Structures are given as C-alpha cells and as structure tokens.
Amino acid sequence: MDHIANHPATADMQAADAAHHLHPFTDTAGINETGARIITSGKGVMLRDSEGAEILDAMAGLWCVNIGYGRNELADVASRQMRELPYYNTFFQTSHPPVIALAEKIAALTPGDLNRTFFSCGGSDANDTNIRLVRHYWASLGKPSKTHIIARQNGYHGSAMGSASLGGMAAMHAQGGLPIPGISHIAQPYWYAEGGELSPEEFGLQAARALADEIERLGEDNVAAFIAEPVQGAGGVIVPPSTYWPEIQRICDAHEILLIADEVITGFGRTGAWFGSETYGIRPDIMTIAKGLSSGYQPIGGSVLSEKVAAVFAEKAGEFNHGYTYSGHPVAAAVALENLRILDEEGIVDTVATDTGPYLAKRWAELGAHPLVGEARISGMMAALELSPDAAGRKPFEEGGVAGLICRDHCFASNLIMRHVGDKMIISPPLVISKAEIDIVIERAHKALDLTMADLKVQGLMR
Ligand SMILES: *Cc1c(COP(=O)(O)O)cnc(C)c1O
C-alpha cells in the first residue's frame, strides 16, 4: 500500500471533490465544508487514506468486500478477461464463457432449485428487474391482476425508482415522488424498538402475521410477491426473532404469491452460511444477489430464479423485454467467478461459521454489557449495538441519531470504520477478519463507547 506519492495533495483533491463531485447519501454542504476522507488503497481488512492513516474497515466497504481488499487473483483475472473479451452483451441470443461459468457456479452454490440467473450491475437494478419479472410471470400465467408487491417498513432494496419504492425508508420516500404505485409496506420484525411488552418470539409471530393481513386486505388475486431481507442490513442489522421466518414461509406457502429474498448483503457467507436463506430456513422463489458476489471488486448483481419461476420464462413468457447493456458483463462475471472460487476453496464461509463468527459473537456480547448499550445483536459477521440513555429499559434517546453520530466520529477518529444508523452502531467486516483483528475492533469500539458516553453526559443528553 505504497501509493501515497502518486496522488495530489489531500487538500487539492478535497477541493476538486467539493467542486465537481456529487456524493450519494451525503449532505453536500457538509462534506464540502469538512472535506472528504480520501481512501487510497486497501489490503485485507485495512484501508489507507491520503494522509497515510491505517484504518480498520469493519464495514467491508458497503457490506461487500467479503474476501478483503487487495486480492491480486481478481486483478489478474480482470486483466486477462479485458485482453481477451472486454465486452460483449448477452442480449439477442448471444452469450460468452465467463457469464456461462458464473451462472452455473451460482446455481451450484445457491440452495434448493435456484438455478437460473438474470444479471444486473448491482442490487438496485436487480430488484427493479424483480418488479417487472414477477408481474410478467403472473401475466404469463394468465393472472395479470397479480401485480402488487408487499415489502416492509425500514427495509432496504436499493436506490432506483422501483427498488427504493420496495424499500421502506421514510427519508428516501420523502424525495423524488416515491413510492411508485402498487407497493405497500408491512411492519418490520424489530423487537428491540417495536416489540413492547411482548417476548421476541411472540413479537416475531405478530410481525409475520402482518403479511397475512396485508394479503387479505389486498386480495390474493392482486398480489404478486413479498420481498424481504433475511436480516435487514441498512435498516440497522435487524436480526428477526426465531419465530419470524418460519411463519413468513408458512404464509407464503399457504398463498399463491412469490417470495423474494433480498440476499444482497446476507448472500455469500455474511450470516455464517452461504446464504441467509439457509441460516433462517427460507425457501425463496427468487433471490436477489450483488455485493459479496464479487466482493465489490466489480459491479455485478442478479436475480436468481427457482425452477418454478424459470419454467414460466422458458415455456410461456415469450421475450422478456428487459435487460441492461452490462447484464452479465464479461469482466465483472470473470471477477465474480474468481471471488467465488476463493470463498469456496479457502473455506471462508466455514471459518465464519465455526471459528471467527462465534469469536466475534462472544466479544460483541461483551460490548452489550457497556452502560450505553441496550442490546448487542449479531448474525454471523453482521452485528449491531443499540445505544440507549437507559440501557435496561430499551429507551431511545429523545433526539435520535445524535449519540450514534458522536460514536461514529469517535470510531473514525480512532481509525475504525463502524457505521451508525440513527443510534444503532453497526459492523459488517470482511469475512476474512482474524481474531486478532476482531480484538482491535472490540477495543476501539469500547473506547468509542466510553468517549461517547462522556460527551453525552457533558451535553446533558444522558444522566
Ligand atoms: C445494497 C443493497 C441493495 C442495493 O444494491 P446496489 O448494488 O447498491 O444497487 C439492495 N438490497 C439490499 C439488501 C442491499 O443491502
């Protein structure tokens, strides 16, 4: 990671960034005032910034760098593929070797009979594909009224018009005329904040039964699908109670609707199995994948179809009038395939399941005992802390998000990237994180919690 001499001075880059770059999910006035932190290289779980600071990335970028930074094998494969065939499309009855091999590998890795993939460039467009795909599926079966899609409050499915409408993020719906029609949102299985006096198990059943109520309200003849993340990621690592997914699966089985598992985060080892559907006993008809599919080394995603859904496209649906120029891009496909080879052959998912995952769980639970923490929860290698002024009472702060932001800044200042969602602190480290590196995460997070609590007391936000 020795590239410091090769870039302009940090202040010059910050000025150019402020002048010419509109950042996603960023307050432009704010970033222009403080200047962006500029990341220049990465190796394993560590990043380096333009000032030479070494930062432990406990978010794996945006939940995606599952095999860690700096794996030369992926760079070599990309270089080879670019020389051989940098681009060709998969429209109009053509294909190419990398996309064929990748589709076959995904079919082998995914559970059940999820055997056929429609490729996209990421998760947002894959979920937009899903909207059109499930509607065309039902229309092809002679049921054109089945168009409505049920999703969840505080779910995240991407940022395009369709996928952000599937998402249940109020702040996103507030801008740009969302949600589009034909989508509704039921309660999330967020026991800590919304479970009240119910036990987690009781609350999980109640949250799941909201799906049955919504199907009833809309009429089954009008409903195409239900979409959900096995574990909500961007919503704040909401790990559902154990009763939730079995009841959702039962309701889906009892009704003629498709179940879409959005595994963009939970796929490719994140929860300690290859897919969250395995961890939570879900049998999806369609699975959305992206992020860990290429460990973020190339932009690629997809919708993986079960045989039931694929058969309709093979037999009845005619031409699917839908596709992206870069669907199944050869370089992205080759890199994803190499990423899956590494995940597979190095036993990385197994290590998470049996070794580093349990170790992180044990150490994460220790943070749960901190007086600022109301709950510590974890699923494999994704975890959250609920900050609370009254930890025993699961009480929220009066002004939400202040404590989380303070804590995030303390983490950042101590070279730990941990993200805040309101007053939830979340991590999703590279799956290759070692126990020694986990110890560093815990130590820096603990220090950040101490400093945050001290600040909150000074500011009168906590007694
Ligand atoms: C990140 C994410 C998406 C969107 O993926 P992009 O590649 O950013 O378009 C969709 N669903 C889930 C669950 C995600 O976490």
Side-chain angles (χ1 to χ4, degrees):
M1 292 200 284
D2 250 350
H3 307 129
I4 295 207
N6 293 341
H7 55 68
T10 300
D12 293 345
M13 288 194 285
Q14 286 173 329
D17 188 71
H20 302 297
H21 184 188
L22 186 63
H23 287 253
F25 286 104
T26 299
D27 170 31
T28 302
I31 194 176
N32 287 358
E33 197 182 305
T34 55
R37 189 168 193 172
I38 298 168
I39 306 298
T40 53
S41 61
K43 183 91 193 153
V45 302
M46 302 301 289
L47 296 169
R48 178 175 278 201
D49 73 11
S50 54
E51 293 295 288
E54 301 266 352
I55 309 156
L56 199 159
D57 182 11
M59 280 305 298
L62 287 174
W63 325 78
C64 55
V65 188
N66 288 9
I67 63 166
Y69 297 93
R71 290 296 300 246
N72 288 333
E73 300 93 323
L74 275 63
D76 293 343
V77 160
S79 162
R80 235 182 295 140
Q81 185 59 46
M82 279 195 199
R83 288 171 215 282
E84 183 134 339
L85 181 70
Y87 176 75
Y88 200 70
N89 67 75
T90 53
F91 289 18
F92 316 138
Q93 309 194 348
T94 60
S95 201
H96 52 70
V99 78
I100 294 167
L102 180 62
E104 188 176 34
K105 182 72 176 173
I106 292 169
L109 289 174
T110 48
D113 63 1
L114 293 161
N115 287 336
R116 186 184 291 266
T117 301
F118 184 99
F119 287 99
S120 65
C121 310
S124 300
D125 49 347
N127 281 323
D128 272 49
T129 292
N130 288 337
I131 295 172
R132 298 192 56 201
L133 198 150
V134 297
R135 289 175 174 170
H136 188 53
Y137 168 88
W138 288 115
S140 301
L141 288 172
K143 296 180 177 176
S145 69
K146 288 174 78 68
T147 59
H148 194 95
I149 301 172
I150 301 171
R152 302 186 302 183
Q153 292 156 14
N154 199 38
Y156 187 80
H157 300 294
S159 203
M161 281 302 277
S163 53
S165 296
L166 293 173
M169 299 283 177
M172 293 177 73
H173 289 182
Q175 298 173 347
L178 301 180
I180 60 172
I183 294 169
S184 58
H185 301 84
I186 60 171
Q188 57 179 329
Y190 184 13
W191 174 79
Y192 176 85
E194 298 173 5
E197 296 303 308
L198 297 178
S199 70
E201 292 72 27
E202 290 166 337
F203 178 71
L205 284 178
Q206 178 186 298
R209 284 173 188 158
L211 175 59
D213 294 345
E214 185 66 357
I215 295 170
E216 170 109 347
R217 183 182 78 81
L218 293 160
E220 189 171 330
D221 287 347
N222 299 314
V223 180
F226 172 63
I227 183 167
E229 303 153 83
V231 177
Q232 286 153 269
V237 187
I238 315 290
V239 183
S242 62
T243 49
Y244 181 75
W245 273 111
E247 184 66 6
I248 289 283
Q249 185 67 58
R250 190 191 66 73
I251 292 164
C252 289
D253 290 345
H255 295 89
E256 202 182 43
I257 67 166
L258 297 173
L259 172 56
I260 307 170
D262 184 343
E263 294 246 24
V264 169
I265 287 175
T266 53
F268 306 102
R270 179 59 54 196
T271 67
W274 272 93
F275 295 93
S277 290
E278 295 161 301
T279 304
Y280 294 96
I282 307 164
R283 293 187 307 280
D285 298 296
I286 298 170
M287 181 189 278
T288 317
I289 56 174
K291 295 192 171 120
L293 170 59
S294 67
S295 282
Y297 280 61
Q298 284 284 293
I300 185 168
S303 307
V304 194
L305 313 184
S306 62
E307 291 289 358
K308 175 176 98 177
V309 177
V312 169
F313 281 83
E315 290 158 21
K316 298 196 170 80
E319 178 170 339
F320 188 27
N321 298 318
H322 177 69
Y324 307 110
T325 299
Y326 300 131
S327 284
H329 189 285
V331 177
V335 168
L337 190 63
E338 181 65 3
N339 169 62
L340 297 181
R341 185 192 67 74
I342 288 173
L343 272 176
D344 200 0
E345 288 181 12
E346 296 185 4
I348 292 169
V349 181
D350 218 43
T351 302
V352 171
T354 60
D355 189 22
T356 50
Y359 185 72
L360 177 62
K362 177 176 138 265
R363 304 262 13 228
W364 197 250
E366 292 167 27
L367 293 179
H370 192 281
L372 184 56
V373 176
E375 182 179 76
R377 53 177 181 262
I378 185 164
S379 176
M381 281 271 171
M382 58 197 296
L385 303 172
E386 293 277 359
L387 305 187
S388 168
D390 170 14
R394 281 156 60 201
K395 261 236 188 77
F397 284 97
E398 240 160 65
E399 194 188 335
V402 176
L405 184 60
I406 292 172
C407 189
R408 198 280 309 266
D409 287 345
H410 281 306
C411 291
F412 225 44
S414 65
N415 290 330
L416 171 67
I417 294 186
M418 174 149 81
R419 176 163 152 188
H420 84 111
V421 175
D423 292 320
K424 300 179 272 282
M425 301 308 301
I426 60 180
I427 62 166
S428 169
L431 302 184
V432 294
I433 192 169
S434 68
K435 288 180 183 171
E437 289 162 341
I438 288 171
D439 288 341
I440 297 173
V441 172
I442 301 297
E443 182 197 312
R444 290 183 187 173
H446 200 281
K447 190 177 123 210
L449 290 170
D450 286 346
L451 292 170
T452 302
M453 195 162 79
D455 286 354
L456 291 170
K457 287 183 174 174
V458 168
Q459 296 178 24
L461 298 170
M462 187 176 176
R463 283 196 298 142

